[in-house]
Amino acid sequence: MTDQLGSMRRAVVTLVPPVVAGAVTVGMYAALAHRLPGQAYGTGGFGDSMSWAEVVGLGIGWSVVALIWGAGWLYARRRIPTAQRWIGASTWAGSVLIAGYEVQLVLRHLDLAGPPVRPDPWWTSAPVVLPVLAVVAVAGWWAMGPAPEQPDAMEGPGSTAPRLRLAAGERALWTSSVFSRRKLVWALFWSVLAAGSAVTAYNYLVVAFDVFVAVVAAAQSWARVRIDEQRVQVVQPLLRQALVGVELRHVVEATAGAFDPSTLPRAVYGVFHTPAQSGYRATAGGDVLRLRTSNGHRILITVPGAATAAALVNTQLDRRRATAGDDRC
């Protein structure tokens, strides 16, 4: 029941903003149509002028696209609450852009008989729009609510699972740095696009998007895998932000082996999420750490020394079960 309520909440949070953006588009024109000229002038990239029917249709069309995009990706990522947060943040930011464009266009034409149209209002400038979009995206992220609680694992590693030999009072911490060259190449690619767009004085929103993608790709190009007594995490060292992680109480068993590239699309590097598995991919092949969790989800992390990492995870799981008084360990 809790999961159903959470799914309903995420659907409402994701899909209501595009509907509101479409309603704002229609409502603004319906309320102020008698004060507008016959054409919308200086529409910014869509020709010198458009009819108001085209302007309204444009706002409604983009709202419908955002609605379909949000619904489709929300369903595709239905078992990945973290990925769904990005979808909610995107529809919120996109809806504000759609509504903002329509509102400023109407306000610039109020009580005008014809061109020239009024200049862009101050609140449409990049120093205002970009922080507002960032705040709106964060609000959308927060509004998606907490991730559904994952059940604790009721079973532990099998007898054949790898383990480390640790004395009763001995503790261990395992870390390893991983580096994805392909993700770094993508970061450089988007940086070049951002520089080119800035030099040619292109739309600042395009520049901001290029910079955002470049920063995300660069942040994912270098990571550190960390295993302690509580959890397994892939952390961004500079930002000290967990990219992927799972608490050991949710892990059933850890294994290691050679990575099979056919298990993921060829272009997937860095952090990835699918309904069946998630994790961090740094290389095309090599060692991979596999974690099986209590809800049937799998976590894959390409990292050197994966066999040692898997053995430590299983040893920590045995200790947790022994501490809890479970004689099945």
Side-chain angles (χ1 to χ4, degrees), residues 18-300:
V19 175
V20 172
V24 168
T25 297
V26 175
M28 280 285 294
Y29 177 72
L32 300 172
H34 63 286
R35 297 176 57 187
L36 298 174
Q39 295 280 316
Y41 304 96
T43 50
F46 300 101
D48 293 335
S49 66
M50 290 193 298
S51 68
W52 285 104
E54 291 177 309
V55 171
V56 173
L58 184 68
I60 294 175
W62 279 113
S63 298
V64 171
V65 169
L67 187 66
I68 295 174
W69 183 91
W73 278 104
L74 200 65
Y75 178 78
R77 298 292 185 262
R78 59 191 179 277
R79 294 182 60 185
I80 316 169
T82 302
Q84 286 187 334
R85 287 182 180 274
W86 286 105
I87 301 167
S90 300
T91 58
W92 278 49
S95 298
V96 168
L97 279 177
I98 295 168
Y101 174 77
E102 297 289 331
V103 169
Q104 64 87 22
L105 201 57
V106 169
L107 294 180
R108 290 168 61 203
H109 287 79
L110 280 180
D111 302 322
L112 290 181
V117 71
R118 298 185 183 93
D120 294 338
W122 64 268
W123 47 268
T124 63
S125 61
V128 176
V129 172
L130 296 180
V132 168
L133 290 181
V135 171
V136 168
V138 170
W141 176 285
W142 173 84
M144 293 294 276
E149 183 64 25
Q150 186 173 339
D152 290 351
M154 300 302 295
E155 54 181 313
S159 59
T160 59
R163 289 171 170 83
L164 292 180
R165 293 184 179 273
L166 295 179
E170 191 175 6
R171 301 173 61 185
L173 172 68
W174 189 90
T175 64
S176 180
S177 292
V178 288
F179 184 77
S180 176
R181 294 182 178 86
R182 299 198 184 193
K183 208 67 180 178
L184 182 59
V185 169
W186 273 113
L188 294 175
F189 171 78
W190 285 100
S191 298
V192 171
L193 285 184
S197 298
V199 169
T200 57
Y202 198 51
N203 191 310
Y204 64 86
L205 292 176
V206 175
V207 177
F209 176 79
D210 292 345
V211 171
F212 173 77
V213 176
V215 170
V216 171
Q220 293 187 18
S221 66
W222 176 34
R224 180 171 294 131
V225 183
R226 175 187 170 95
I227 301 173
D228 56 26
E229 296 176 321
Q230 300 296 326
R231 61 187 60 85
V232 178
Q233 283 186 319
V234 179
V235 181
Q236 210 298 315
L238 296 179
L239 302 177
R240 299 187 182 277
Q241 177 69 33
L243 302 176
V244 180
V246 61
E247 294 188 24
L248 290 184
R249 63 191 180 95
H250 302 316
V251 177
V252 175
E253 184 180 75
T255 58
F259 178 67
D260 181 6
S262 65
T263 59
L264 291 174
R266 183 177 300 178
V268 172
Y269 283 86
V271 177
F272 65 89
H273 296 284
T274 72
Q277 57 192 15
S278 59
Y280 183 91
R281 181 184 181 183
T283 57
D287 294 343
V288 61
L289 171 66
R290 301 184 185 89
L291 304 174
R292 180 162 59 93
T293 63
S294 57
N295 61 358
H297 198 70
R298 292 184 179 274
I299 297 178
L300 306 180

